[in-house]
Amino acid sequence: MVDVSQHDLVPDHSVVDEADLEAVLEEYDIKKTDLPKIKRTDKALPDDAEVGDVIRIERDSRTTDTAVVYRLVVE
């Protein structure tokens, strides 16, 4: 079986800790529930991701070296 999360085309996914999360939410003046969602069953998620966690996804970008997006894990 292939581990999708280790594929070259899958961007880095990591769970955001509470201190960093508060800074992100404050910077964008949003609530956690305002973030785009990602399902817990998504194969790219880290094994330690749980429903309610926020995931930081770092993608390569042509215009900015790295693009960072955040997603809320839902069921």
Side-chain angles (χ1 to χ4, degrees):
M1 188 174 219
V2 176
D3 184 1
V4 174
S5 66
Q6 300 304 313
H7 194 280
D8 291 342
L9 297 178
V10 176
D12 292 333
H13 289 61
S14 59
V15 178
V16 178
D17 63 42
E18 288 300 317
D20 291 339
L21 176 59
E22 290 302 319
V24 169
L25 297 178
E26 188 175 310
E27 178 181 350
Y28 293 108
D29 192 26
I30 59 173
K31 295 178 282 189
K32 191 171 163 178
T33 55
D34 293 331
L35 291 168
K37 313 301 187 268
I38 188 170
K39 290 194 171 208
R40 174 61 196 109
T41 55
D42 192 304
K43 300 295 183 190
L45 285 179
D47 292 334
D48 61 339
E50 297 177 1
V51 173
D53 285 344
V54 173
I55 304 298
R56 175 187 170 105
I57 304 170
E58 294 184 44
R59 298 182 176 130
D60 292 334
S61 173
R62 289 186 216 166
T63 55
T64 63
D65 189 33
T66 303
V68 177
V69 295
Y70 297 91
R71 299 282 185 264
L72 175 64
V73 178
V74 296
E75 238 176 279

